[in-house]
Amino acid sequence: MQILENEPMNKHTSFKVGGPARFFVKAESVDDLKEALAMARENRLPHFILGNGTNLLVSDKGYEGVVITLAGEFSEIADMGKGAFKAGAAVPLGRFARAALKQGYAGIHKLAGIPGTLGGAIYMNAGAYGQEIGTHCTQVVTLDEAGNIRERSASECAFGYRQSIFQKSGAGGAQAETILSATFQLESANTACESPEQTVARLEAELQECMAKRKATQPLNMPNAGSTFKRMERGSADMPQQVAPGYYIEQAGLKGYRIGGAEVSTLHANFIVNAGGATAKDILDLSDYVKAAVAKKFGVELQREIIMLGEF
């Protein structure tokens, strides 16, 4: 187990901002993880489980707690046959999606462009292009606050739009359960009129189409944390079916609007980017400004999708 003190979090987040974490721990086994959680309890510090940091905004002041990142045994994928897979929480989602695709299994292949880890994807029920990670999940294994291994069925995970039961907090704001791994049952995409090789090629073509759309519509060349605001259940009174936050942000004339080094992307209005030298406060202030402007113009209340860590 590796322990670093006062580790700059701008090295570990896609926004490239954030002050130091009091402790930064790399846990490569369940025993390492238990030790890291015990260290947090003994020092009366909160803890946070970090994936790839691609949906996270860390305060400029840093995080007076223990940031834990998983590696080692949490980075393994097991092919259990007949479309059943088990993947560790630290497995990159793209790696898992491609591993299943190469075996001719569909259901999560369009998620390969999402830059997070499997644990983070389960935590927020990540989705894209009509697919969600929770749809084919059958079981999630976690470590609870008491140090017990827990197996949750898919129904117990309470997957919904960008949410799961794992988003609930424990004492002191800590995550109540740490995701260790998840099991999936995927369906074969093979049809009677094509060979297994043709099936894989077709799935790969679908994936590449999604990747091309992502590249054409998202500011992938600038530091960002994905969609800033969640898709809404309903739109404004004038357009009740409009559920895309980017539509309202763009119609409010906010594309390209800046506060400090933070900017509403000129490519996709629901992305805030670090246009150079942004601070976490710049990004937070800009998201607050966007929320207020959209609410004033359309009466629509946007909800942030990005996780906030530390004191702002």
Side-chain angles (χ1 to χ4, degrees):
M1 183 172 73
Q2 181 183 20
I3 303 175
L4 301 175
E5 293 190 51
N6 299 315
E7 174 71 359
M9 288 302 292
N10 60 6
K11 295 166 55 177
H12 302 282
T13 63
S14 58
F15 264 135
K16 306 300 182 186
V17 302
R22 179 67 183 87
F23 294 102
F24 186 91
V25 179
K26 180 183 285 188
E28 300 196 29
S29 66
V30 173
D31 286 342
D32 282 355
L33 177 58
K34 288 181 178 180
E35 186 177 343
L37 294 173
M39 181 180 76
R41 287 194 301 271
E42 290 166 5
N43 288 280
R44 297 183 180 181
L45 293 172
H47 72 273
F48 181 82
I49 307 299
L50 177 72
N52 274 357
T54 53
N55 192 43
L56 180 68
L57 181 63
V58 180
S59 167
D60 298 314
K61 301 174 185 176
Y63 179 62
E64 191 58 30
V66 181
V67 173
I68 303 170
T69 186
L70 304 180
E73 68 180 46
F74 302 109
S75 303
E76 299 173 357
I77 301 174
D79 183 345
M80 300 184 290
K82 298 182 179 180
F85 293 85
K86 183 176 182 179
V91 171
L93 183 56
R95 179 181 154 215
F96 175 46
R98 285 186 177 277
L101 182 156
K102 289 179 180 179
Q103 297 297 320
Y105 291 102
I108 61 168
H109 60 291
K110 295 181 180 180
L111 307 183
I114 296 176
T117 59
L118 180 72
I122 290 291
Y123 179 85
M124 67 172 293
N125 190 24
Y129 303 108
Q131 296 183 346
E132 288 184 335
I133 194 68
T135 302
H136 297 281
C137 180
T138 57
Q139 185 185 75
V140 177
V141 179
T142 68
L143 184 72
D144 67 19
E145 290 180 297
N148 300 312
I149 300 293
R150 182 168 185 170
E151 297 179 350
R152 283 189 178 274
S153 66
S155 60
E156 289 180 292
C157 294
F159 289 118
Y161 174 68
R162 301 297 179 268
Q163 64 182 1
S164 73
I165 196 171
F166 306 110
Q167 293 173 8
K168 68 180 182 181
S169 295
Q175 289 146 284
E177 293 180 50
T178 302
I179 297 167
L180 306 181
S181 65
T183 304
F184 299 84
Q185 182 61 57
L186 304 177
E187 297 179 1
S188 173
N190 187 245
T191 65
C193 62
E194 63 183 10
S195 67
E197 292 77 15
Q198 289 173 323
T199 298
V200 172
R202 174 168 54 81
L203 294 178
E204 180 66 32
E206 291 178 9
L207 167 58
Q208 291 305 319
E209 182 181 359
C210 293
M211 297 290 278
K213 288 180 181 177
R214 184 180 291 272
K215 185 176 181 180
T217 60
Q218 298 179 10
L220 303 182
N221 63 331
M222 303 180 77
N224 69 82
S227 295
T228 304
F229 300 101
K230 295 180 180 180
R231 189 182 69 218
M232 298 168 290
E233 294 181 1
R234 62 183 180 83
S236 66
D238 293 336
M239 192 176 291
Q241 301 306 315
Q242 176 56 253
V243 295
Y247 169 85
Y248 292 109
I249 298 170
E250 184 170 353
Q251 291 302 306
L254 296 175
K255 263 191 172 182
Y257 190 87
R258 292 183 64 154
I259 292 181
E263 178 182 273
V264 176
S265 170
T266 56
L267 187 61
H268 192 311
N270 197 25
F271 281 63
I272 288 177
V273 299
N274 181 347
T279 64
K281 187 176 186 304
D282 290 341
I283 295 167
L284 177 61
D285 287 350
L286 182 55
S287 69
D288 285 342
Y289 182 87
V290 169
K291 281 185 67 176
V294 169
K296 181 178 181 180
K297 187 174 181 65
F298 298 105
V300 169
E301 188 69 26
L302 299 178
Q303 292 187 341
R304 267 189 294 263
E305 187 169 314
I306 296 168
I307 297 169
M308 317 292 286
L309 185 65
E311 294 185 7
F312 285 85

